[in-house]
Amino acid sequence: LSNPVSAVKRPRDSAARDRRLTPVERHQLLSEAAKLANSQLYLAILIALETAMRQGEILNLQWDDLDSDREVISIRDAKNGHNRQVVMSDRLAAHLATIKRIDNALFSVTASGLQQAFRKLTRQLQMHDLRFHDLRHEAISTFFEHGLTVPEVQLMSGHGTLEQLMRYAHAQVAEIKRKVL
């Protein structure tokens, strides 16, 4: 007897994306999103850039998950199946304090609605090859550039292994050069 599956090769992992925002793109993305009538896109982008949360985690947020006194967000039933807490930046905490609470859900937009609004904004700004998930990569890379340790970034991102985490960390040559001098 022979195993027919033994001839099947496992597909290679896809190449890791390394799309980073330039400082100008980051500013444009936030400032133009802030001008939109739908403020939920701005909030979702801000949360993604400041916390490295996944899109699904962001859209599932409830006001009860936000601890404004400690400036911590509780994420329940994350992708990896574990609950975790992420720290709010001062910028995010200040913005959340300005939002009028209507019901317990922080977002009323669907995942496809958020994706559509994000694509429309990036097309308008002529930001090519930028996906909402790239904001998670950007946040994780920025955490490392700000000096957070591997365990600290892993806690924020929710990655189970260092190998998974490092697929999201993309150093910029200019930042390395600044540090090497």
Side-chain angles (χ1 to χ4, degrees):
L1 293 174
S2 66
N3 182 354
V5 179
S6 64
V8 177
K9 301 276 190 234
R10 184 180 180 274
R12 290 184 169 184
D13 288 336
S14 60
R17 287 185 55 83
D18 61 357
R19 174 68 160 91
R20 294 283 312 267
L21 292 172
T22 67
V24 170
E25 286 177 326
R26 182 185 179 101
H27 174 75
Q28 286 179 323
L29 192 63
L30 287 167
S31 64
E32 292 303 313
K35 295 176 188 175
L36 298 174
N38 180 357
S39 61
Q40 291 195 349
L41 179 60
Y42 172 79
L43 180 58
I45 291 170
L46 183 62
I47 292 172
L49 288 172
E50 300 286 322
T51 67
M53 288 173 60
R54 297 173 179 93
Q55 175 185 300
E57 295 168 342
I58 293 169
L59 293 179
N60 288 331
L61 282 175
Q62 304 287 314
W63 281 102
D64 293 343
D65 298 329
L66 309 177
D67 183 339
S68 56
D69 294 333
R70 293 179 30 232
E71 295 186 349
V72 170
I73 300 172
S74 295
I75 301 169
R76 301 176 204 300
D77 301 320
K79 180 181 173 184
N80 64 7
H82 297 90
N83 296 339
R84 73 177 192 278
Q85 292 187 324
V86 297
V87 177
M88 286 185 228
S89 66
D90 290 343
R91 179 179 185 174
L92 177 57
H95 181 73
L96 287 168
T98 68
I99 298 175
K100 183 179 178 186
R101 181 177 174 169
I102 297 171
D103 58 19
N104 198 35
L106 197 59
F107 290 92
S108 61
V109 66
T110 63
S112 61
L114 178 66
Q115 287 291 339
Q116 184 177 13
F118 187 78
R119 276 193 303 273
K120 182 178 177 183
L121 178 62
T122 57
R123 272 195 306 268
Q124 173 191 328
L125 295 173
Q126 298 180 5
M127 291 183 186
H128 304 289
D129 194 34
L130 183 66
R131 302 174 189 164
F132 190 85
H133 192 71
D134 293 333
L135 304 181
R136 180 166 161 79
H137 289 250
E138 180 64 27
I140 289 169
S141 298
T142 301
F143 290 157
F144 281 119
E145 290 171 357
H146 287 267
L148 271 69
T149 65
V150 169
E152 291 167 338
V153 175
Q154 199 168 1
L155 179 69
M156 290 283 287
S157 70
H159 285 105
T161 67
L162 181 59
E163 182 181 0
Q164 292 169 332
L165 176 62
M166 296 319 290
R167 283 183 59 101
Y168 282 77
H170 311 292
Q172 290 188 342
V173 173
E175 185 65 19
I176 295 169
K177 182 170 174 37
R178 185 187 66 75
K179 291 178 178 179
V180 170
L181 294 176

